[in-house]
Amino acid sequence: GAENANQTMGDADAEMKTEAQEEPVSAPADAGSAPENPDQAALAEKAATEAQEKIDSQALPIRTYLDQTVVPILLQGLSDLVKARPDDPVEYLAAYLVKHNPKSKK
C-alpha cells in the first residue's frame, strides 16, 4: 500500500520535471534588444500574429473555419444581392466579396 503510493507520487514528480524541461522559460529581453524603429516592432508583431493565425486556422474544424472567415461576409453579400437582384447574381456576389474582403490591403 504505502510503497505503491510513494511510487505513484514519484511518477507524478518525474512527469512534472519532464514537463518543466519541455517548456523552457524564456528570459526577459535586454533593454537594448528592441528594434530601434517602432514601425519595425509593429511590423514584426503583425507578421508574428499573422503567422500564428494561419497556424491556428489550419487546425480548426471545417465548419468553425468557415464560420469565422467566410460566412459573415458571404451572408452580407447574399443580403445585398437579394436587395439588388442583378441580372448576373454570381458576378455581383463575386464583386461584392472582393470589394468587402476584410483581409484585402486597401
Side-chain angles (χ1 to χ4, degrees), residues 8-99:
T8 302
M9 291 184 72
D11 291 344
D13 288 342
E15 283 182 33
M16 291 173 79
K17 288 176 186 171
T18 301
E19 288 176 15
Q21 290 169 354
E22 290 174 4
E23 298 178 29
V25 177
S26 59
D30 295 335
S33 68
E36 294 175 16
N37 184 343
D39 290 336
Q40 283 179 320
L43 288 173
E45 186 174 338
K46 182 179 179 185
T49 300
E50 288 174 354
Q52 186 60 45
E53 286 174 358
K54 185 173 182 178
I55 292 168
D56 291 344
S57 71
Q58 296 295 323
L60 291 175
I62 293 170
R63 177 68 187 248
T64 305
Y65 170 74
L66 291 173
D67 284 345
Q68 291 180 0
T69 58
V70 178
V71 171
I73 190 70
L74 187 58
L75 290 176
Q76 292 168 7
L78 290 172
S79 177
D80 200 57
L81 174 76
V82 170
K83 292 174 189 169
R85 303 228 177 208
D87 291 335
D88 188 349
V90 173
E91 185 70 30
Y92 183 93
L93 182 59
Y96 181 94
L97 293 173
V98 169
K99 181 178 178 182

